[in-house]
PDB file of all heavy atoms in Angstrom:
ATOM      1  N   VAL J1416      -4.775  23.539 -21.286  1.00 91.00           N
ATOM      2  CA  VAL J1416      -3.830  22.489 -21.611  1.00 91.00           C
ATOM      3  C   VAL J1416      -2.473  23.197 -21.912  1.00 91.00           C
ATOM      4  O   VAL J1416      -2.387  24.331 -22.367  1.00 91.00           O
ATOM      5  CB  VAL J1416      -4.277  21.681 -22.807  1.00 91.00           C
ATOM      6  CG1 VAL J1416      -4.330  22.450 -24.065  1.00 91.00           C
ATOM      7  CG2 VAL J1416      -3.369  20.430 -23.006  1.00 91.00           C
ATOM      8  N   TRP J1417      -1.371  22.482 -21.509  1.00 92.00           N
ATOM      9  CA  TRP J1417      -0.038  22.918 -21.807  1.00 92.00           C
ATOM     10  C   TRP J1417       0.816  21.651 -22.102  1.00 92.00           C
ATOM     11  O   TRP J1417       0.661  20.687 -21.375  1.00 92.00           O
ATOM     12  CB  TRP J1417       0.568  23.723 -20.684  1.00 92.00           C
ATOM     13  CG  TRP J1417       1.925  24.233 -20.991  1.00 92.00           C
ATOM     14  CD1 TRP J1417       2.309  25.357 -21.589  1.00 92.00           C
ATOM     15  CD2 TRP J1417       3.223  23.470 -20.758  1.00 92.00           C
ATOM     16  NE1 TRP J1417       3.664  25.436 -21.693  1.00 92.00           N
ATOM     17  CE2 TRP J1417       4.267  24.352 -21.208  1.00 92.00           C
ATOM     18  CE3 TRP J1417       3.487  22.260 -20.098  1.00 92.00           C
ATOM     19  CZ2 TRP J1417       5.537  23.967 -21.074  1.00 92.00           C
ATOM     20  CZ3 TRP J1417       4.811  21.908 -19.997  1.00 92.00           C
ATOM     21  CH2 TRP J1417       5.873  22.728 -20.437  1.00 92.00           C
ATOM     22  N   SER J1418       1.623  21.704 -23.044  1.00 90.00           N
ATOM     23  CA  SER J1418       2.516  20.616 -23.280  1.00 90.00           C
ATOM     24  C   SER J1418       3.939  21.221 -23.713  1.00 90.00           C
ATOM     25  O   SER J1418       4.082  22.277 -24.256  1.00 90.00           O
ATOM     26  CB  SER J1418       2.038  19.687 -24.470  1.00 90.00           C
ATOM     27  OG  SER J1418       1.998  20.448 -25.670  1.00 90.00           O
ATOM     28  N   GLY J1419       4.931  20.419 -23.340  1.00 90.00           N
ATOM     29  CA  GLY J1419       6.307  20.878 -23.657  1.00 90.00           C
ATOM     30  C   GLY J1419       7.294  19.949 -22.951  1.00 90.00           C
ATOM     31  O   GLY J1419       6.953  18.944 -22.387  1.00 90.00           O
ATOM     32  N   GLU J1420       8.580  20.421 -22.985  1.00 90.00           N
ATOM     33  CA  GLU J1420       9.610  19.675 -22.336  1.00 90.00           C
ATOM     34  C   GLU J1420      10.074  20.416 -21.140  1.00 90.00           C
ATOM     35  O   GLU J1420      10.187  21.679 -21.082  1.00 90.00           O
ATOM     36  CB  GLU J1420      10.798  19.522 -23.321  1.00 90.00           C
ATOM     37  CG  GLU J1420      10.558  18.589 -24.489  1.00 90.00           C
ATOM     38  CD  GLU J1420      11.787  18.345 -25.384  1.00 90.00           C
ATOM     39  OE1 GLU J1420      12.899  18.817 -24.981  1.00 90.00           O
ATOM     40  OE2 GLU J1420      11.638  17.681 -26.391  1.00 90.00           O
ATOM     41  N   ILE J1421      10.333  19.581 -20.051  1.00 92.00           N
ATOM     42  CA  ILE J1421      10.720  20.124 -18.765  1.00 92.00           C
ATOM     43  C   ILE J1421      11.924  19.274 -18.274  1.00 92.00           C
ATOM     44  O   ILE J1421      11.934  18.084 -18.492  1.00 92.00           O
ATOM     45  CB  ILE J1421       9.632  20.114 -17.725  1.00 92.00           C
ATOM     46  CG1 ILE J1421       8.496  21.113 -18.100  1.00 92.00           C
ATOM     47  CG2 ILE J1421      10.169  20.517 -16.332  1.00 92.00           C
ATOM     48  CD1 ILE J1421       7.379  21.129 -17.136  1.00 92.00           C
ATOM     49  N   TYR J1422      12.858  19.899 -17.717  1.00 91.00           N
ATOM     50  CA  TYR J1422      13.922  19.207 -16.983  1.00 91.00           C
ATOM     51  C   TYR J1422      13.617  19.144 -15.518  1.00 91.00           C
ATOM     52  O   TYR J1422      13.522  20.155 -14.864  1.00 91.00           O
ATOM     53  CB  TYR J1422      15.288  19.864 -17.231  1.00 91.00           C
ATOM     54  CG  TYR J1422      15.954  19.564 -18.520  1.00 91.00           C
ATOM     55  CD1 TYR J1422      15.595  20.335 -19.665  1.00 91.00           C
ATOM     56  CD2 TYR J1422      16.728  18.483 -18.694  1.00 91.00           C
ATOM     57  CE1 TYR J1422      16.157  20.058 -20.917  1.00 91.00           C
ATOM     58  CE2 TYR J1422      17.330  18.186 -19.972  1.00 91.00           C
ATOM     59  CZ  TYR J1422      16.995  18.991 -21.101  1.00 91.00           C
ATOM     60  OH  TYR J1422      17.534  18.668 -22.248  1.00 91.00           O
ATOM     61  N   ASN J1423      13.402  17.893 -14.969  1.00 92.00           N
ATOM     62  CA  ASN J1423      13.093  17.691 -13.580  1.00 92.00           C
ATOM     63  C   ASN J1423      14.221  16.923 -12.942  1.00 92.00           C
ATOM     64  O   ASN J1423      15.161  16.414 -13.652  1.00 92.00           O
ATOM     65  CB  ASN J1423      11.750  17.039 -13.426  1.00 92.00           C
ATOM     66  CG  ASN J1423      10.586  18.004 -13.428  1.00 92.00           C
ATOM     67  OD1 ASN J1423      10.795  19.124 -13.145  1.00 92.00           O
ATOM     68  ND2 ASN J1423       9.389  17.521 -13.776  1.00 92.00           N
ATOM     69  N   ARG J1424      14.035  16.704 -11.671  1.00 92.00           N
ATOM     70  CA  ARG J1424      15.148  15.999 -10.872  1.00 92.00           C
ATOM     71  C   ARG J1424      14.496  14.791 -10.256  1.00 92.00           C
ATOM     72  O   ARG J1424      13.478  14.859  -9.553  1.00 92.00           O
ATOM     73  CB  ARG J1424      15.725  16.957  -9.794  1.00 92.00           C
ATOM     74  CG  ARG J1424      16.961  16.391  -9.124  1.00 92.00           C
ATOM     75  CD  ARG J1424      17.484  17.376  -8.044  1.00 92.00           C
ATOM     76  NE  ARG J1424      17.785  18.698  -8.683  1.00 92.00           N
ATOM     77  CZ  ARG J1424      18.970  19.000  -9.200  1.00 92.00           C
ATOM     78  NH1 ARG J1424      19.887  18.116  -9.286  1.00 92.00           N
ATOM     79  NH2 ARG J1424      19.150  20.199  -9.695  1.00 92.00           N
ATOM     80  N   ARG J1425      15.204  13.656 -10.391  1.00 91.00           N
ATOM     81  CA  ARG J1425      14.793  12.409  -9.739  1.00 91.00           C
ATOM     82  C   ARG J1425      15.102  12.511  -8.208  1.00 91.00           C
ATOM     83  O   ARG J1425      15.812  13.371  -7.707  1.00 91.00           O
ATOM     84  CB  ARG J1425      15.435  11.210 -10.350  1.00 91.00           C
ATOM     85  CG  ARG J1425      15.315  11.036 -11.809  1.00 91.00           C
ATOM     86  CD  ARG J1425      15.799   9.661 -12.286  1.00 91.00           C
ATOM     87  NE  ARG J1425      16.243   9.735 -13.703  1.00 91.00           N
ATOM     88  CZ  ARG J1425      15.495   9.525 -14.787  1.00 91.00           C
ATOM     89  NH1 ARG J1425      14.272   9.295 -14.523  1.00 91.00           N
ATOM     90  NH2 ARG J1425      15.996   9.572 -15.951  1.00 91.00           N
ATOM     91  N   LYS J1426      14.620  11.437  -7.523  1.00 89.00           N
ATOM     92  CA  LYS J1426      14.891  11.396  -6.071  1.00 89.00           C
ATOM     93  C   LYS J1426      16.335  11.281  -5.806  1.00 89.00           C
ATOM     94  O   LYS J1426      16.884  11.767  -4.754  1.00 89.00           O
ATOM     95  CB  LYS J1426      14.095  10.168  -5.432  1.00 89.00           C
ATOM     96  CG  LYS J1426      14.246  10.014  -3.983  1.00 89.00           C
ATOM     97  CD  LYS J1426      13.465   8.851  -3.433  1.00 89.00           C
ATOM     98  CE  LYS J1426      13.639   8.640  -1.958  1.00 89.00           C
ATOM     99  NZ  LYS J1426      12.884   7.490  -1.462  1.00 89.00           N
ATOM    100  N   ASN J1427      17.071  10.538  -6.666  1.00 91.00           N
ATOM    101  CA  ASN J1427      18.538  10.447  -6.409  1.00 91.00           C
ATOM    102  C   ASN J1427      19.341  11.672  -6.905  1.00 91.00           C
ATOM    103  O   ASN J1427      20.596  11.578  -6.902  1.00 91.00           O
ATOM    104  CB  ASN J1427      19.056   9.143  -7.199  1.00 91.00           C
ATOM    105  CG  ASN J1427      18.835   9.223  -8.646  1.00 91.00           C
ATOM    106  OD1 ASN J1427      18.447  10.282  -9.211  1.00 91.00           O
ATOM    107  ND2 ASN J1427      19.039   8.154  -9.388  1.00 91.00           N
ATOM    108  N   GLY J1428      18.668  12.724  -7.302  1.00 89.00           N
ATOM    109  CA  GLY J1428      19.334  13.913  -7.710  1.00 89.00           C
ATOM    110  C   GLY J1428      19.615  14.078  -9.153  1.00 89.00           C
ATOM    111  O   GLY J1428      20.099  15.133  -9.614  1.00 89.00           O
ATOM    112  N   GLU J1429      19.421  12.977  -9.885  1.00 89.00           N
ATOM    113  CA  GLU J1429      19.680  13.053 -11.394  1.00 89.00           C
ATOM    114  C   GLU J1429      18.676  13.928 -12.081  1.00 89.00           C
ATOM    115  O   GLU J1429      17.488  13.753 -11.893  1.00 89.00           O
ATOM    116  CB  GLU J1429      19.684  11.597 -11.915  1.00 89.00           C
ATOM    117  CG  GLU J1429      19.880  11.564 -13.454  1.00 89.00           C
ATOM    118  CD  GLU J1429      19.578  10.217 -13.981  1.00 89.00           C
ATOM    119  OE1 GLU J1429      19.365   9.267 -13.237  1.00 89.00           O
ATOM    120  OE2 GLU J1429      19.640  10.039 -15.218  1.00 89.00           O
ATOM    121  N   VAL J1430      19.175  14.859 -12.930  1.00 90.00           N
ATOM    122  CA  VAL J1430      18.294  15.653 -13.711  1.00 90.00           C
ATOM    123  C   VAL J1430      18.019  14.986 -15.026  1.00 90.00           C
ATOM    124  O   VAL J1430      18.947  14.445 -15.614  1.00 90.00           O
ATOM    125  CB  VAL J1430      19.009  17.065 -14.020  1.00 90.00           C
ATOM    126  CG1 VAL J1430      18.153  17.897 -14.908  1.00 90.00           C
ATOM    127  CG2 VAL J1430      19.224  17.832 -12.671  1.00 90.00           C
ATOM    128  N   TYR J1431      16.790  14.963 -15.442  1.00 88.00           N
ATOM    129  CA  TYR J1431      16.387  14.254 -16.627  1.00 88.00           C
ATOM    130  C   TYR J1431      15.351  15.067 -17.454  1.00 88.00           C
ATOM    131  O   TYR J1431      14.608  15.894 -16.824  1.00 88.00           O
ATOM    132  CB  TYR J1431      15.794  12.883 -16.267  1.00 88.00           C
ATOM    133  CG  TYR J1431      14.451  12.935 -15.596  1.00 88.00           C
ATOM    134  CD1 TYR J1431      13.256  12.821 -16.324  1.00 88.00           C
ATOM    135  CD2 TYR J1431      14.426  13.201 -14.257  1.00 88.00           C
ATOM    136  CE1 TYR J1431      12.046  12.897 -15.677  1.00 88.00           C
ATOM    137  CE2 TYR J1431      13.177  13.328 -13.649  1.00 88.00           C
ATOM    138  CZ  TYR J1431      12.025  13.148 -14.314  1.00 88.00           C
ATOM    139  OH  TYR J1431      10.817  13.204 -13.677  1.00 88.00           O
ATOM    140  N   PRO J1432      15.274  14.962 -18.781  1.00 92.00           N
ATOM    141  CA  PRO J1432      14.220  15.618 -19.511  1.00 92.00           C
ATOM    142  C   PRO J1432      12.991  14.809 -19.620  1.00 92.00           C
ATOM    143  O   PRO J1432      13.091  13.543 -19.587  1.00 92.00           O
ATOM    144  CB  PRO J1432      14.902  15.811 -20.857  1.00 92.00           C
ATOM    145  CG  PRO J1432      15.773  14.527 -20.965  1.00 92.00           C
ATOM    146  CD  PRO J1432      16.275  14.227 -19.583  1.00 92.00           C
TER     147      PRO J1432
END
Side-chain angles (χ1 to χ4, degrees):
V1416 64
W1417 181 89
S1418 64
E1420 290 186 5
I1421 294 180
Y1422 280 87
N1423 274 335
R1424 190 181 302 276
R1425 306 188 207 273
K1426 183 179 179 181
N1427 61 9
E1429 178 189 353
V1430 175
Y1431 69 98

